[in-house]
Amino acid sequence: MTITQPDLSVFETLESEVRSYCRGWPTVFDRARDSRMYDEDGHAYLDFFAGAGSLNYGHNNPVLKRALIDYLARDGVTHGLDMSTTAKRTFLQTFQDLVLRPRDLPYKVMFPGPTGTNAVEAALKLARKVKGREAIVSFTNAFHGMSLGSLAVTGNAFKRAGAGIPLVHGTPMPFDNYFDGTVPDFLWFERLLQDQGSGLNKPAAVIVETVQGEGGINVARPEWLRALKELCERQDMLLIVDDIQMGCGRTGAFFSFEEAGIVPDIVTVSKSISGYGLPMSLCLFKPELDVWEPGEHNGTFRGNNPAFVTATAALETYWADGSAMEKQTRARGEQIEQALISITEENLADVKEYRGRGLVWGMEFHDKARAGRVAGRAFELGLLIETSGPEGEVVKLLPALTITPDELDEGLRILARAVRETL
């Protein structure tokens, strides 16, 4: 692919230095459809990033786009705070009928602000309100958002440092297999809880990702998650599952915790719940935890009605038969796994490990800088992938759930070439 130099001057002179993704992909994107993005010069890029998991059904999904256009064309309410609207009612009824009831989940639905970190902040605040305690336990290499409460339960040192103040009331514990199987699960955690001299304040809740996305695609075993749920019940702590990136079918089932057979007390959902990349988030919790006073937690944009419209269309299109969607995602995941096996066998000297579930996979390198070089070369070859992990040592694959087998194969061939050419 021949890439001309795009005009990036306004971004470089006017936009803040905090921008990041655009530095790894130095072009100006103009349009997108399904699993491809196109820059203003017409170059096509296969997307294995999917808006960091916000576009599980691809860019400008035609079914969702038609629902949105029709709603806007009839002057449907676009901004509604937490007022009752037809768009919100339809979403709630559809979410109940297609997601909650089939899984026998009793959750109440709360609309916090429209981003993932808003949902996490609401979950933490609610847990503290219910239990009357301030401490929250999180896990090594966790990522839960960039606002202060979410950062306090995030592991990444670089992101935490951006807070500028001490991040308090959060205590990290070892994630699954943190000690490579040499220490029994939760030995340290439960010992601290039982020891009156440990210095650990009794936590209100534990927050966990079943697959740590930003932390490096670290996959928790179902038995580890079940043991965590049992520990929370024994010690009178709420279990919060952050399903912001791994929910909405990313790991196969609609919720990533379904495989473990657990029912968390609180669940945070965002990213692909709108289906179209529109800002939207949910905080789900058991009915007995609904102790909010009216207006005690609010937000101007918690009533993003266009997002309700596309979310409803996504549920009706892809989750009326959730088993079919799950089966397709798992099949695509097996296709990725086979490709990663081949890449690993070809590059035994430098590929440390590959891991994943459903349509989220990571490939870790011994040379920690290698992942960034692979992503850079992949971009030059027409593939968008990002890195993750505490030192950016993992190439992260996050394609749309609707990607075709041929597109997936095309992208995996590009990935293999990028790995080969960065040796």
Side-chain angles (χ1 to χ4, degrees), residues 99-389:
V99 176
L100 297 181
R101 279 182 178 156
R103 293 161 180 81
D104 197 26
L105 294 172
Y107 297 134
K108 297 288 288 290
V109 179
M110 174 184 176
F111 298 103
T115 71
T117 198
N118 291 141
V120 170
E121 295 285 359
L124 299 179
K125 183 190 289 188
L126 179 60
R128 288 170 168 139
K129 181 177 173 65
V130 168
K131 292 299 183 183
R133 311 177 205 133
E134 77 281 357
I136 304 289
V137 165
S138 57
F139 290 94
T140 50
N141 291 312
F143 178 80
H144 296 290
M146 298 296 281
S147 51
L148 292 179
S150 301
L151 272 180
V153 291
T154 287
N156 187 282
F158 172 73
K159 293 180 172 68
R160 288 175 64 90
I165 62 170
L167 296 169
V168 297
H169 308 310
T171 302
M173 290 292 167
F175 191 71
D176 190 11
N177 205 37
Y178 188 73
F179 294 110
D180 299 319
T182 60
V183 177
D185 295 338
F186 307 114
L187 174 67
W188 171 248
F189 189 2
E190 193 148 30
R191 184 72 58 83
L192 290 179
L193 289 169
Q194 293 170 344
D195 185 357
Q196 295 300 306
S198 69
L200 176 65
N201 292 333
K202 181 79 170 184
V206 176
I207 185 168
V208 67
E209 302 155 274
T210 66
V211 180
Q212 294 182 327
E214 297 303 311
I217 318 302
N218 305 311
V219 183
R221 294 167 296 141
E223 56 267 31
W224 186 86
L225 291 168
R226 286 193 289 270
L228 176 60
K229 175 60 175 170
E230 292 167 3
L231 173 62
C232 288
E233 290 174 350
R234 285 198 307 273
Q235 297 291 339
D236 186 34
M237 302 178 296
L238 298 178
L239 177 62
I240 304 169
V241 167
D242 181 339
D243 232 9
I244 287 166
Q245 188 167 94
M246 297 305 157
C248 302
R250 174 56 58 181
T251 65
F254 187 87
F255 293 111
S256 69
F257 56 80
E258 290 182 50
E259 182 182 348
I262 62 173
V263 178
D265 300 293
I266 304 175
V267 183
T268 59
V269 181
S270 188
K271 290 194 181 282
S272 275
I273 187 61
S274 81
Y276 202 73
L278 299 178
M280 179 177 173
S281 72
L282 311 175
C283 186
L284 312 175
F285 40 82
K286 293 179 177 178
E288 62 269 24
L289 304 180
D290 195 6
V291 297
W292 293 114
E293 297 291 336
E296 190 174 10
H297 187 89
N298 56 29
T300 303
F301 295 102
R302 64 196 184 282
N304 188 357
N305 283 260
F308 296 153
V309 171
T310 55
T312 300
L315 294 177
E316 291 175 341
T317 304
Y318 296 102
W319 294 100
D321 182 359
S323 61
M325 192 68 198
E326 182 174 348
K327 182 178 179 181
Q328 175 180 299
T329 296
R330 295 190 187 281
R332 302 285 193 273
E334 290 170 4
Q335 187 177 346
I336 293 178
E337 185 175 15
Q338 290 305 309
L340 295 184
I341 290 172
S342 297
I343 293 172
T344 299
E345 290 174 347
E346 185 180 340
N347 298 268
L348 284 175
D350 199 30
V351 176
K352 181 179 179 180
E353 187 182 15
Y354 62 87
R355 50 190 181 260
R357 272 179 61 195
L359 275 174
V360 52
W361 287 84
M363 183 166 52
E364 182 178 357
F365 294 90
H366 291 289
D367 174 4
K368 296 184 186 301
R370 180 83 177 281
R373 297 198 300 272
V374 169
R377 181 57 180 147
F379 170 76
E380 295 171 353
L381 297 170
L383 176 68
L384 302 179
I385 53 174
E386 68 167 333
T387 62
S388 69

